[in-house]
Amino acid sequence: MTLRQSQFVPPVPLIVAEAYGLLDHVALSTRRTSGSPQQLAELLAGEIDLAVTAIDNLFAWVPAGADVQLVAQIESTTPLSVFGIGDATTLAELTGRRFAVDAAANGFALAARWLLEQAGVHDVRFLEVGGVKERLEALLEGRADATLLGPPFDAMAVDNEAMLLGSVPEMIPGYPGQGLVARADAIGSGELAAYLELLQVATRIANRLEVAEGIELLVAAGFGKAAGSAWATRPRSLRVPASGLEVLTSVRSDLDLLPAAVDLADLCAPDCLVR
């Protein structure tokens, strides 16, 4: 069985695993996604087995019918920041502006919405354009005034004179990074167990590497100037901290967007959660 994984950019443990020849021991195919709606559609259709995605997406995907579980956290946090092009120099100045998102009602867009509300911004035109690559393109092409970006696209935005307006890790401490979500029919399979084991081995290797070595790996993988921040936010463990799930729940509660029927802790695979 070949595990089919959807991702926006390759996560650090996967890059390390490939660099150290660990992928020779598992059948894995990866594909870049254009956004979380595509990931959901492919999960529902049985076209992918795994999705590297914002953990918050489970709040939307499970009510939509996806039978999935969270099996790992593959970033300690996601170094996402709000960038704008034009005359806006603060979050508060984004009132009435066009803000590019992946999906307006779930995922990392919820962090952006929380930041905007804290800045007193309640009137933003959210444009659903897709994943981080598509959001950068919308910003640079003038189709959006602001968006949320992470490595390596944040560095590309700066190179094109975009202005940093706010940082998720700074403004929402403990906000968790992307998770690895698996279809229920893959849970317990030998293939998934072997894949998670090699990601754990890769994580332990990364923990032993010097910072310069890790950054060099990511530069070679195309992260460029963003390699340092991506390396700094790599996971030290694949287990999911309960505290991070509580932060996601709190953000949704503050926005009055918390679905009553979804408890993230209940969606964690056995032995995945750290309380």
Side-chain angles (χ1 to χ4, degrees):
M1 172 184 174
T2 297
L3 293 171
R4 300 159 297 172
Q5 177 170 296
S6 167
Q7 60 197 33
F8 292 89
V9 295
V12 172
L14 184 58
I15 292 170
V16 174
E18 184 171 13
Y20 281 81
L22 302 179
L23 293 181
D24 296 340
H25 306 294
V26 68
L28 176 74
S29 67
T30 62
R31 63 180 76 175
R32 195 188 77 83
T33 184
S34 63
S36 61
Q38 180 186 25
Q39 289 183 317
L40 173 59
E42 291 175 341
L43 285 167
L44 292 173
E47 295 172 359
I48 58 172
D49 307 293
L50 304 166
V52 177
T53 198
I55 295 173
D56 175 87
N57 283 332
L58 291 171
F59 278 119
W61 289 1
V62 171
D67 189 5
V68 293
Q69 286 188 311
L70 181 63
V71 296
Q73 184 171 318
I74 54 174
E75 293 175 313
S76 58
T77 188
T78 297
L80 290 170
S81 296
V82 176
F83 290 88
I85 282 185
D87 57 357
T89 59
T90 67
L91 288 172
E93 294 176 72
L94 292 179
T95 296
R97 305 298 179 97
R98 301 162 300 170
F99 198 106
V101 295
D102 174 12
N106 54 278
F108 291 122
L110 272 292
R113 291 174 65 166
W114 190 92
L115 264 59
L116 291 168
E117 288 222 355
Q118 295 302 303
V121 178
H122 303 288
D123 180 21
V124 173
R125 286 181 285 164
F126 289 106
L127 307 176
E128 295 188 348
V129 301
V132 63
K133 179 178 180 290
E134 289 76 13
R135 297 199 302 273
L136 175 64
E137 290 172 350
L139 184 69
L140 299 184
E141 292 170 3
R143 292 183 283 117
D145 303 300
T147 193
L148 198 63
L149 300 172
F153 301 96
D154 50 359
M156 297 177 192
V158 172
D159 287 343
N160 284 274
E161 301 183 348
M163 178 170 291
L164 174 64
L165 304 180
S167 164
V168 171
E170 289 180 8
M171 300 179 71
I172 315 179
Y175 197 94
Q178 292 186 102
L180 183 63
V181 173
R183 281 173 48 95
D185 54 12
I187 303 292
S189 69
E191 291 83 4
L192 180 57
Y195 181 48
L196 290 173
E197 176 58 31
L198 76 83
L199 290 178
Q200 289 171 346
V201 172
T203 299
R204 291 195 289 269
I205 291 172
N207 289 340
R208 295 196 299 265
L209 291 179
E210 296 292 334
V211 171
E213 293 178 273
I215 291 175
E216 184 178 350
L217 275 179
L218 298 193
V219 168
F223 278 73
K225 295 179 181 178
S229 60
W231 185 255
T233 54
R234 73 189 187 279
R236 272 55 171 188
S237 166
L238 296 183
R239 298 188 70 189
V240 179
S243 58
L245 304 186
E246 291 166 2
V247 170
L248 293 175
T249 300
S250 177
V251 165
R252 277 197 168 254
S253 180
D254 289 347
L255 295 170
D256 199 24
L257 292 172
L258 184 63
V262 180
D263 185 331
L264 291 182
D266 291 342
L267 295 174
C268 289
D271 301 322
C272 171
L273 186 65
V274 179
R275 295 189 182 275

